[in-house]
Amino acid sequence: MNHELVLVTGGTGFIAQHCIIALLERGYRVRTTVRSLGREAEVREQLRNAGVDAGDRLAFVRADLSEDAGWAEAAEGCTYVMHGASPTPSGDQVREEDWIRPAVDGNLRVLKAARDAGVKRVVLTSAIGAICAGHKPGYPRPFKETDWSDLEGQIAPYQKSKTLAERAAWDFVRREGKGLELSSVNPTAVMGPALGADYSHSVRLVKNLLEGNQKGCPKISSGFVDVRDVADLHLRAMLDPKANGERFIATAGESMTMAEVARVLRERMGSSAANVPTRVLPNWVIRLAARKNPALRPVVALLGVDLSATGAKAQRVLGWKPRSPEDAIVASAESLIRLGLVTPL
């Protein structure tokens, strides 16, 4: 048994729960934050769906990123912090500031609590959105850890908030950290086994494809990574001395188009993928549809954009060995079906 205590923020989150699993399997004690203690039973049940009975090695503390209360208690006695909690889009965001302020202030609350509690290192779950957004055509690909999203370019409020929140974290550690160490993990689209109804937006893409909710595949692409490998990278970034002060992109293999994702499902999921569309939609169809459906506007911004990124640094520096994107996509589909979250034909 490892007696070190690790704080994982946002225990209801998809990545956070897989980080909790990875830590428990390594013998750590874990404390996690939730905005409502009423969700403890739900989190424990989702961990059991992964074959992990946390017992008394997992404790819960109520803490909200928008409030100071609870964070000192959450960080007390912890050797490490994995900070993946982030303000969730509520639909109430009217101004950019409604996205940015909670993300920045939330990061700073966690970092201050970690510093004051004598935590050794914080591993921040950032996003590829802090790296790949807003760049002009011709910007070098693949994206790497030295790249930052261009806030002067065409950038969505969510991506802008992720960029400013991560920059604020690095600035805080440099100016006020008093020896607190920081590493960041910047995942691309996160696939892998869902543990319950809370899962990533990327897994929702697989659900939509399996249920035939789309008429076809827009010409957009992304890198993909399995959530279990994202958790493993967090663990490596937490423990390896070489990770201090470094960013790591979590992505496996080449970027894939939506049509390629659909083809993987068709080839590997058999009759369960009978509803998956194979048609590639012309860009003009998406642009036309977005005039009536505002939810499609972010898709329009990604049409034809090369989002290739490399995870070579994590593999070289930390010995990280991710599963293939194809295996991660299939793991998402299998878990959705197993949990009854999608109904195949």
Side-chain angles (χ1 to χ4, degrees):
M1 170 68 73
N2 190 325
H3 292 288
E4 288 181 318
L5 179 62
V6 181
L7 172 65
V8 179
T9 67
T12 59
F14 183 53
I15 294 174
Q17 289 182 1
H18 281 275
C19 285
I20 291 170
I21 291 166
L23 288 162
L24 291 172
E25 288 179 342
R26 293 289 190 94
Y28 288 94
R29 294 183 299 127
V30 179
R31 180 184 294 148
T32 191
T33 62
V34 286
R35 285 182 291 174
S36 167
L37 290 175
R39 298 192 70 180
E40 176 177 344
E42 170 193 336
V43 173
R44 288 186 180 276
E45 177 61 27
Q46 290 177 341
L47 297 180
R48 280 192 288 271
N49 286 339
V52 175
D53 189 352
D56 61 2
R57 293 186 298 137
L58 176 63
F60 290 75
V61 172
R62 187 201 171 277
D64 191 312
L65 289 173
S66 65
E67 304 168 358
D68 290 335
W71 289 109
E73 178 189 356
E76 183 181 0
C78 293
T79 307
Y80 303 103
V81 172
M82 291 185 182
H83 174 39
S86 61
T88 51
S90 63
D92 297 330
Q93 291 86 351
V94 177
R95 305 164 302 154
E96 272 195 349
E97 198 68 10
D98 298 333
W99 291 85
I100 293 166
R101 198 73 261 153
V104 171
D105 291 349
N107 273 6
L108 295 180
R109 281 189 173 92
V110 173
L111 288 167
K112 287 174 183 174
R115 177 199 63 193
D116 295 347
V119 166
K120 179 179 180 180
R121 181 179 296 176
V122 174
V123 180
L124 172 67
T125 311
S126 185
I128 196 66
I131 289 175
C132 71
H135 297 290
K136 293 179 174 63
Y139 191 88
R141 297 331 194 246
F143 291 107
K144 50 191 182 300
E145 286 81 0
T146 51
D147 295 318
W148 284 90
S149 290
D150 184 350
L151 300 180
E152 302 302 316
Q154 184 179 6
I155 182 170
Y158 172 76
Q159 296 166 327
K160 192 170 186 177
S161 72
K162 281 294 188 182
T163 306
L164 289 170
E166 189 187 340
R167 282 201 178 276
W170 289 111
D171 288 345
F172 173 85
V173 167
R174 183 171 60 253
R175 295 174 183 171
E176 305 176 52
K178 298 180 180 178
L180 176 66
E181 297 179 356
L182 179 65
S183 301
S184 77
V185 175
N186 297 65
T188 54
V190 182
M191 294 287 186
L195 303 178
D198 266 358
Y199 44 79
S200 72
H201 291 294
S202 307
V203 174
R204 190 171 302 280
L205 162 66
V206 173
K207 175 180 169 66
N208 288 338
L209 288 170
L210 289 172
E211 292 182 336
N213 291 333
Q214 298 178 197
K215 302 300 183 184
C217 301
K219 294 179 181 177
I220 60 174
S221 65
S222 176
F224 293 95
V225 63
D226 192 291
V227 66
R228 293 165 292 185
D229 296 321
V230 175
D232 176 61
L233 184 51
H234 276 72
L235 199 61
R236 292 169 185 268
M238 182 182 91
L239 295 173
D240 197 315
K242 298 189 293 296
N244 179 34
E246 300 290 343
R247 307 170 86 200
F248 297 96
I249 294 175
T251 192
E254 302 292 326
S255 64
M256 298 173 64
T257 65
M258 188 177 290
E260 288 171 329
V261 173
R263 187 167 65 245
V264 168
L265 292 172
R266 281 278 194 171
E267 290 175 352
R268 297 196 38 192
M269 293 302 298
S271 61
S272 297
N275 288 334
V276 174
T278 56
R279 178 187 172 209
V280 177
L281 296 175
N283 291 349
W284 67 264
V285 171
I286 305 299
R287 292 193 177 101
L288 187 63
R291 293 181 183 178
K292 297 180 179 179
N293 183 358
L296 287 174
R297 288 172 190 164
V299 178
V300 171
L302 294 173
L303 291 172
V305 178
D306 180 3
L307 292 178
S308 298
T310 175
K313 178 180 175 181
Q315 296 180 47
R316 181 182 69 253
V317 176
L318 302 181
W320 184 59
K321 296 178 180 178
R323 296 164 177 82
S324 71
E326 294 82 1
D327 286 348
I329 291 162
V330 170
S332 295
E334 290 174 340
S335 67
L336 290 170
I337 293 168
R338 182 172 63 252
L339 293 171
L341 297 173
V342 64
T343 307
L345 285 179

